[in-house]
Structure formats: C-alpha cells, structure tokens
Amino acid sequence: MALYWSNYGYAYKETAESLSESDNRRYELYQRARSCFQKSIFLESFNSQHFIAIAQTFLAEENYSEALNWAEKAVGADGKVDFQDFDALFLICIIHLRNNQVEQVTSTAERIIFCLPADEDVRNYVAAKFAIIGTDLVQAGAKYINPKILKAALIFMEAAKRFSPGNVEIAKIHQDIAEVVSAFDQYDVLKDDYQIIHGFKRLAAFSIINVLGVQNYDYERDINFKNIIEEISNSRDSEVLASAQRIKSKYPVIYLLNSEFFARLEKAAIEISRKQQYQPQYQPINNSSDSCFVVTATYGTPYAPEVIKYRYFRDEYLTKNILGRKFISHYYRFAPLAASYIKKHPNVKKLMAFILGNLANYLPNEK
C-alpha cells in the first residue's frame, strides 16, 4: 500500500527534522525516508506528493540540485500540468529562493499563471501564499538590513500582485518594498558621491533604516538622529545647501523618504547663504559661522532660532552704520578664541545660552 510507505517515510522525515542540524543521524533518517517514498512512487507514480516529500528532504540537507530535480518530477506526475501541481511549483520557488536564485522565482510564477483556473478564489489563495513568503522576507531584510533579501521579497510580492491584481493590501506592500529597494539602489551610488557631505550620507542611510523600522527604541533613534544633525550643523552652509539640492535632484527616492526634513535643511541653508551675500568685505573668509560665531558655539548649530536672529541683527542693522561695522571688525578678532572656549566648557555654554537667550528677546524679528 502506497499510503503505508508514505506514512512510514513521513515518520522518518519528521524524526530527522526534530534533531539538530549537527546531529549525524539526520542523514541516515532522510535516506530511510526517501527509500519509503520511492516505494510509494512505485505503487502510485501519479501522486505528486511522494515526489514533493523527497524534494523536501533534499532541501532540508541543502542539496538544491536534487531538491529541484524531484520537485520538477512532481510537476505533471499525473500526466498533465494543472493547478494540482501548484504545491510542486511553489516548492520550486522556495528552492530557488534558498539557493539565492531569486530571479528564477519570476519564471516559475509564469508557469503557475499558465496552469491557474479563472476562479478568483483560487487566484487569491495563490497570491496569499506568495504574499506570506514576501512578508516574511521583508521582516528578515529589515532585521539584517539586507538589500538582497528585500529584493527577493519584492519578487514574491510582484508575483502575488500578478495573481491578484485587485488586492489593495498586496499592492500597497509591493509599493512600499519597491520604494525601499529603489532607495537602497540609489544609496549604493550616493555613498560614493563626493559632492555630498558625510553627514547627509548618514542622514540618507538613517532615513532608509527608519522606514524599515529596524531601530526598536525611540531613544536610540533620537540619539543617532541628533548626532547626524550635529555633524551636518558643523558643516559649511554652502556644502549643506549643495548636498540637499543634489539629493533632491539625483536621488529622489531617498529624498522622498524624508522630504519634509530635507526641505527644511535646504530652506535654512538657502536663507543663510542669501544673508551671507551681504556680509561686509572685511569679515575674514576663514571665520565661518560654525567656527567663530559665539552664538553658534553656544547653541551648537547655525540653524538655532537664536543664531538666525543674531545674524539677522548683524546683517540688517550693524552693517548699516559705522559703529556697527567697527564692532563687527573687533568682534571677529576675539570671536574664534571665545567660541573655542565656550565649546570646551559646558557650564560656560549654559551661562552664555541664558545671557544670549535673554538678549535675543530685545532684538528685532526677521521681516
């Protein structure tokens, strides 16, 4: 009886699966299982499940060529290729996935489409099977931040979408994965782009990882984000502007992942650059705002509201009269030393923040 030998084979197979991969008894148990399944095939050569069972034992041993060979034998074992062969074809997709041949999944999906009936419920069932694998791959790709796994997930979700094109949920997941995969592809180019400062490269990577939801703790995410912004703040305004604009034009997918924040950085850099066009000629070129401006040193970033307010007062009021220009000239002589001292002494920084913050209340607001 074929059923007897099949059950006997599954008993051996499940016993092998219960052992650790390092247990030497697994190989012998799989061999016995295959022997039983082959006796089932001798008695019931039309039953594809016996072929599939043998393929599964080889897959467990990572013998992909033999697993694929037996899975192919399962297809059409009854003399015809139809929806009854879906289990074998789906197993072929899994074998290709495990063997890092994810491109072959697409061609196998074509074979499945060919044998699918017009029944909508059947197509939804097939789509769900592929979507489950795709979702699992997304989670694995996010956990290990592995673009290859995410690309495999995209292929499975593309197949699911083809089987059930009207499924809104599958379409949404497919779109989200496609955007992340495209972002990874763009980041491979961006990370070597010399026209983009290191802080923006970190911000691009952070945006991708944040979309994947890899960082489980808000505190850890906030610390990383703060460090990135601090690095960007310590860059020259012209570099910040150039990097933001280049990401927007050359790497649109990455830009859209965090478009609001990129736009804010770009706007701030444009505003600062516009004001710097009116700086007096006697201002030393090497005294940039982030290296010698006392208010910047106090607040740690050239984009703080207080810093912008003091710059506005300097550019729109002090530079317009003789006394103001003299003050600026003297200021730039001692500002680098003062700024350096403030950066190195947290208590002084707190005191200066208190003083400058109160003085800022009496300065005119930007028009």
Side-chain angles (χ1 to χ4, degrees):
M1 292 181 61
L3 180 60
Y4 167 83
W5 288 110
S6 176
N7 288 340
Y8 204 179
Y10 277 111
Y12 279 126
K13 178 175 175 288
E14 291 177 10
T15 303
E17 291 170 350
S18 69
L19 302 176
S20 66
E21 294 185 3
S22 60
D23 196 318
N24 295 328
R25 292 175 295 172
R26 279 169 56 94
Y27 176 76
E28 182 181 352
L29 288 168
Y30 279 132
Q31 284 283 68
R32 292 182 180 182
R34 286 191 282 266
S35 178
C36 292
F37 290 133
Q38 285 175 334
K39 290 180 180 179
S40 296
I41 291 173
F42 179 77
L43 297 169
E44 271 185 2
S45 60
F46 58 86
N47 192 335
S48 62
Q49 294 303 314
H50 306 320
F51 295 92
I52 290 174
I54 293 178
Q56 289 172 336
T57 63
F58 281 116
L59 179 60
E61 294 179 317
E62 298 183 354
N63 187 339
Y64 302 119
S65 60
E66 280 298 316
L68 188 61
N69 178 41
W70 283 95
E72 288 289 357
K73 289 180 179 180
V75 179
D78 58 355
K80 56 185 177 180
V81 179
D82 53 22
F83 181 63
Q84 300 303 319
D85 298 305
F86 170 69
D87 287 341
L89 290 169
F90 187 73
L91 178 60
I92 289 173
C93 288
I94 302 301
I95 294 169
H96 285 310
L97 172 64
R98 293 276 300 276
N99 197 25
N100 294 318
Q101 296 175 324
V102 292
E103 295 82 3
Q104 300 298 325
V105 173
T106 302
S107 59
T108 307
E110 292 284 349
R111 296 171 64 185
I112 294 175
I113 290 174
F114 178 77
C115 68
L116 280 183
D119 189 283
E120 185 176 352
D121 290 338
V122 171
R123 289 180 174 270
N124 287 336
Y125 166 76
V126 174
K129 290 275 286 186
F130 274 83
I132 289 171
I133 298 297
T135 303
D136 289 342
L137 288 171
V138 169
Q139 293 175 352
K143 181 179 180 181
Y144 300 107
I145 317 178
N146 190 319
K148 290 184 178 179
I149 297 178
L150 290 171
K151 288 180 179 180
L154 181 61
I155 290 174
F156 271 84
M157 294 308 300
E158 283 176 346
K161 185 179 177 183
R162 293 185 64 187
F163 295 134
S164 182
N167 191 308
V168 177
E169 184 178 355
I170 288 177
K172 179 64 170 61
I173 297 173
H174 172 266
Q175 180 181 351
D176 291 343
I177 300 172
E179 288 178 355
V180 174
V181 169
S182 180
F184 268 112
D185 289 340
Q186 288 191 1
Y187 183 76
D188 281 341
V189 180
L190 182 149
K191 64 183 175 63
D192 297 322
D193 191 333
Y194 70 93
Q195 297 185 52
I196 295 177
I197 59 177
H198 184 257
F200 268 94
K201 292 177 181 180
R202 290 179 61 195
L203 181 59
F206 177 88
S207 299
I208 298 173
I209 294 172
N210 194 47
V211 168
L212 291 174
V214 176
Q215 295 172 329
N216 298 321
Y217 302 102
D218 291 340
Y219 176 77
E220 180 184 353
R221 183 180 65 248
D222 292 344
I223 289 296
N224 288 338
F225 185 71
K226 183 179 178 181
N227 290 338
I228 292 170
I229 298 308
E230 184 177 350
E231 180 177 348
I232 293 175
S233 299
N234 289 328
S235 303
R236 287 184 297 179
D237 299 321
S238 59
E239 293 177 333
V240 173
L241 176 59
S243 295
Q245 292 180 334
R246 185 166 179 80
I247 287 177
K248 183 178 181 179
S249 62
K250 298 293 183 181
Y251 309 98
V253 177
I254 292 176
Y255 182 87
L256 290 174
L257 291 178
N258 206 342
S259 58
E260 182 180 354
F261 188 75
F262 278 118
R264 284 169 55 193
L265 286 176
E266 182 182 4
K267 182 179 179 181
I270 290 173
E271 186 65 20
I272 292 170
S273 297
R274 181 184 69 80
K275 291 176 180 178
Q276 287 178 341
Q277 292 177 2
Y278 301 99
Q279 288 181 359
Q281 296 299 317
Y282 48 80
Q283 179 180 336
I285 296 175
N286 62 340
N287 283 337
S288 61
S289 60
D290 61 333
S291 62
C292 71
F293 195 33
V294 171
V295 187
T296 302
T298 299
Y299 290 98
T301 169
Y303 305 111
E306 294 83 359
V307 178
I308 295 174
K309 198 169 187 180
Y310 274 99
R311 279 187 182 145
Y312 177 76
F313 177 69
R314 178 196 66 191
D315 296 340
E316 301 298 328
Y317 290 87
L318 294 182
T319 60
K320 303 297 175 65
N321 59 80
I322 296 175
L323 291 177
R325 288 194 290 270
K326 285 185 176 181
F327 171 79
I328 293 173
S329 180
H330 288 293
Y331 169 78
Y332 276 107
R333 294 179 184 177
F334 70 82
L337 291 176
S340 177
Y341 184 83
I342 291 170
K343 289 179 180 180
K344 295 177 182 178
H345 296 82
N347 291 331
V348 176
K349 181 182 287 189
K350 291 180 182 178
L351 177 62
M352 290 298 296
F354 175 77
I355 296 172
L356 294 173
N358 282 284
L359 287 175
N361 295 327
Y362 298 98
L363 296 179
N365 291 316
E366 184 175 0
K367 296 178 181 179

